[in-house]
């Protein structure tokens, strides 16, 4: 699925450098412009360092292009967290490349299901379209999530 033309370097990230910290702070601030704080489910830097979460950053030409994470909910179920493309790299296939990377890792881990939460406001339409393009379908809240008019939930059966 995603663009094969992009030669993005994807690395497991320890969340210690300014570019990734800035990207995650930008991500959180933008979420707040579209949803009330209680409906924003983005993790802070410390939350991203949980033992059950793997975080990757994507780099093009030495610049941060995007990021994403995979959180283990159970031995068979993973959750995608903090998918974000840096503004300078929007609409270039970065998110698709990162999403495919996360799906591939979920399969290697033996997960049979991958789920995520994203927003319902119009600003989230590109993200929703991306997930649908990869085969994700709407589902009920999972894990600790509850029904929320600012949230929509998707899942992908991995087989």
């Amino acid at each position: 699925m995603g663009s094969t033309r992009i030669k993005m370097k994807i690395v497991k990230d320890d969340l210690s450098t300014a570019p990734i910290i800035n990207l995650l702070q930008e991500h959180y601030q933008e979420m707040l412009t579209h949803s009330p704080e209680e409906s924003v489910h983005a993790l802070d830097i410390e939350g991203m360092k949980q033992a059950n979460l793997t975080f990757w950053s994507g780099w093009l030409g030495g610049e941060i292009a995007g990021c994403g994470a995979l959180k283990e909910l159970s031995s068979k179920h993973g959750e995608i967290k903090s998918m974000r493309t840096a503004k300078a790299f929007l609409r270039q296939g970065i998110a698709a490349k990162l999403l495919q990377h996360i799906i591939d890792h979920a399969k290697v881990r033996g997960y049979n299901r991958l789920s995520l939460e994203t927003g319902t406001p119009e600003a989230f339409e590109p993200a929703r379209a991306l997930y649908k393009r990869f085969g994700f379908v709407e589902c009920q809240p999972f894990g600790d999530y509850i029904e929320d008019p600012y949230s929509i939930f998707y899942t992908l059966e991995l087989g």
Side-chain angles (χ1 to χ4, degrees):
M1 294 253 157
S3 173
T4 55
R5 295 173 287 130
I6 298 170
K7 299 296 182 199
M8 179 172 57
K9 181 180 178 183
I10 300 174
V11 297
K12 189 174 175 185
D13 199 301
D14 66 3
L15 300 122
S16 66
T17 64
I20 197 62
I21 291 169
N22 292 340
L23 184 63
L24 288 171
Q25 288 172 338
E26 175 186 297
H27 177 63
Y28 185 74
Q29 289 305 312
E30 186 167 339
M31 298 304 101
L32 290 175
T33 67
H34 302 292
S35 305
E37 189 170 8
E38 64 273 10
S39 296
V40 173
H41 301 287
L43 296 172
D44 62 15
I45 299 293
E46 287 310 308
M48 292 296 235
K49 294 181 180 179
Q50 298 172 38
N52 65 340
L53 192 141
T54 305
F55 184 86
W56 292 278
S57 56
W59 299 82
L60 276 172
E63 289 185 68
I64 184 74
C67 63
L70 178 58
K71 180 179 180 181
E72 183 168 296
L73 299 176
S74 75
S75 64
K76 296 293 180 187
H77 188 192
E79 178 184 6
I80 295 173
K81 297 293 292 181
S82 294
M83 286 282 299
R84 179 71 178 191
T85 301
K87 287 180 183 168
F89 295 96
L90 288 173
R91 313 289 176 263
Q92 296 180 32
I94 301 300
K97 199 83 158 166
L98 284 163
L99 182 56
Q100 187 62 60
H101 183 83
I102 292 169
I103 291 169
D104 292 346
H105 276 269
K107 289 177 179 177
V108 167
R109 290 182 184 184
Y111 297 165
N112 56 28
R113 189 169 116 176
L114 193 54
S115 302
L116 63 97
E117 177 275 340
T118 192
T120 58
E122 189 174 330
F124 294 90
E125 179 52 35
R128 294 190 303 266
L130 173 71
Y131 297 130
K132 289 176 189 174
R133 198 170 82 227
F134 273 76
F136 284 81
V137 295
E138 283 187 49
C139 67
Q140 294 298 308
F142 59 91
D144 294 332
Y145 292 107
I146 59 171
E147 288 286 340
D148 182 324
Y150 290 92
S151 290
I152 188 166
F153 306 92
Y154 290 98
T155 196
L156 177 68
E157 297 297 326
L158 299 175

